Amino acid sequence: MTAFQGTPPPIWLDSSVQLMLGKHLLTCLPHEACGLLLGTAAAGGILVSSYVPLSNVAPDPLHAFVPDPSEWVSALFSSPVPIGLFHSHPTSPPWPSPADLQGLNALGPEFCAYLIGSPGTDCENSPDLSGFIISREPGPDGQPRPQLLHTAIQVLLK
C-alpha cells in the first residue's frame, strides 16, 4: 500500500467477514479473540474478503492475545494473503492499548489493516469494531515507525 495524504482510506469488509468477526469475538468471551484478515490493499482502500480465526495461547487470555504459532504460520501462507490483524478487547472499548501499539513492530510490511472489536453495549449485543490503517512513515533515524491511523469501516452488502 502506498503512502497517502490526508484522510486514511477506508477498510471495506465483506458482510460475511463482519459476521465472522462478531461470532468469533462473542464465542471467545471472556477471553480475547484474535485472527488474520485476508484480502487486498491498494491506495484507494483495503478490502477484507475473508477472516481466519486463530487460537489465543496467551498466558493471560483475559487481558492479552498471542496467536497460536502453528496456526499463525499456516495462515500466513493462505490465499488470499493476510493483510491485517483482528483482536478483541472483551472489557474495554475497541481502541489500541499500549500493548497493541508496542506489538506493531512484530508485524511485517504486508500488514496494513488492524481491527479491534468489543462486545456491544446495545440490547442486541452486536460487537463494536474500530478500524485502523498501519502506517510506517520513517522516523528521524530513517527507520519505519509503525503507527495506527483510525479510519472508517465500510461493510459491503451482498
Side-chain angles (χ1 to χ4, degrees):
M1 188 167 163
T2 59
F4 52 86
Q5 300 292 326
T7 306
I11 296 174
W12 296 89
L13 290 182
D14 187 283
S15 59
S16 64
V17 172
Q18 181 187 32
L19 291 172
M20 288 189 294
L21 293 173
K23 181 179 179 182
H24 189 215
L25 181 157
L26 294 172
T27 58
C28 287
L29 289 174
H31 297 161
E32 288 197 20
C34 62
L36 287 173
L37 306 168
L38 309 179
T40 57
I46 296 169
L47 172 61
V48 179
S49 56
S50 189
Y51 173 66
V52 178
L54 301 174
S55 300
N56 181 356
V57 297
D60 180 12
L62 294 171
H63 303 102
F65 76 95
V66 174
D68 178 279
S70 63
E71 293 175 11
W72 177 266
V73 170
S74 176
L76 287 179
F77 294 100
S78 62
S79 181
V81 297
I83 58 165
L85 184 68
F86 166 78
H87 79 281
S88 65
H89 288 178
T91 59
S92 62
W95 202 256
S97 68
D100 295 340
L101 297 173
Q102 187 177 21
L104 290 174
N105 288 319
L107 297 176
E110 66 277 10
F111 285 83
C112 56
Y114 198 93
L115 298 180
I116 303 173
S118 293
T121 55
D122 62 17
C123 61
E124 295 178 13
N125 202 27
S126 61
D128 294 329
L129 284 176
S130 289
F132 302 88
I133 300 292
I134 302 173
S135 172
R136 292 180 173 82
E137 296 298 320
D141 59 359
Q143 295 299 313
R145 304 270 179 186
Q147 59 181 329
L148 294 178
L149 306 176
H150 188 246
T151 193
I153 297 176
Q154 303 290 333
V155 178
L156 297 169
L157 302 175
K158 295 278 178 175

